[in-house]
Amino acid sequence: MTEKLYYTSDDLELDTEVLSCTQETDGRFRVVLASTLFHPQGGGQPSDRGMIGSANMLQAIQDGTDVIHFTDAAVEAGPAHIQIDGVLRREHTRYHSAGHLIAYAGEKYGWYGYKGNHRPGEGRIVFQPVRLTSPVTAEDFAAGATDLVAQNLALSTSEEDGKRMVTWGDLPVYACGGTHVPSTGEVGQIVITRVKEKKGELSVQYELKD
């Protein structure tokens, strides 16, 4: 079982151990580490990238209790140093956290954000009604999310029934395994590009400005 340190640490470097490395049919190499900081693809958040030794780590995925790391070259079993691409991690973290803030903004209108895509260029939150809903526009979502950014609320994490719980300030707490900014102010400017209602659901598309 891979020790998933990304749940508790925002570090970008780690000395760990390569447990196995096998070549795939597509030419990539499948690497299992004893412990990892690489956040795997999942929950709408893209995989981290970086280095395992001198090999490029191209994609990480969850596979049962292990995290599988795909590299462009073989790595030897034994001690290894890993390095996460910090610029890419920060972009993913900002987009993922923005999704939370947009979801919070929708709650006051009776909408619950239950899934999302947090890939840069594809940002989208899908909402379901949880009570009698009010009409809501792109401007409403933008105003609500922008207000939460301006409040610069501090991140808070906890554990409940074995699940990692996340919130900022006194906002509602949700189970989430993604990466998150330490304060809402670090998300930056959120732009709502489209709001569309179809078959009783609301789809809100967004992007971030640097």
Side-chain angles (χ1 to χ4, degrees), residues 158-175:
S158 58
E159 186 173 319
E160 183 178 312
D161 298 327
K163 296 180 179 179
R164 178 170 172 253
M165 310 302 289
V166 175
T167 189
W168 288 268
D170 58 358
L171 295 171
V173 180
Y174 289 103

Side-chain angles (χ1 to χ4, degrees), residues 21-30 58 70-74:
C21 175
T22 56
Q23 189 165 16
E24 298 282 283
T25 56
D26 62 3
R28 299 185 303 172
F29 292 82
R30 179 186 179 97
L58 307 172
F70 293 101
T71 62
D72 66 351

Side-chain angles (χ1 to χ4, degrees), residues 36-114:
T36 188
L37 292 168
F38 288 110
H39 192 281
Q41 178 177 317
Q45 181 169 331
S47 165
D48 279 331
R49 290 193 172 197
M51 304 292 294
I52 300 178
S54 60
N56 290 300
M57 204 294 290
L58 307 172
Q59 182 188 29
I61 63 169
Q62 183 82 31
D63 184 16
T65 58
D66 287 327
V67 175
I68 307 301
H69 308 77
F70 293 101
T71 62
D72 66 351
V75 293
E76 292 186 6
H81 185 76
I82 65 175
Q83 172 76 54
I84 294 173
D85 181 333
V87 174
L88 186 64
R89 162 66 77 84
R90 177 167 172 75
E91 183 178 40
H92 291 170
T93 299
R94 289 178 60 224
Y95 265 85
H96 182 93
S97 301
H100 278 280
L101 302 189
I102 293 167
Y104 287 130
E107 289 185 2
K108 66 183 291 187
Y109 300 99
W111 295 96
Y112 172 71
Y114 76 100

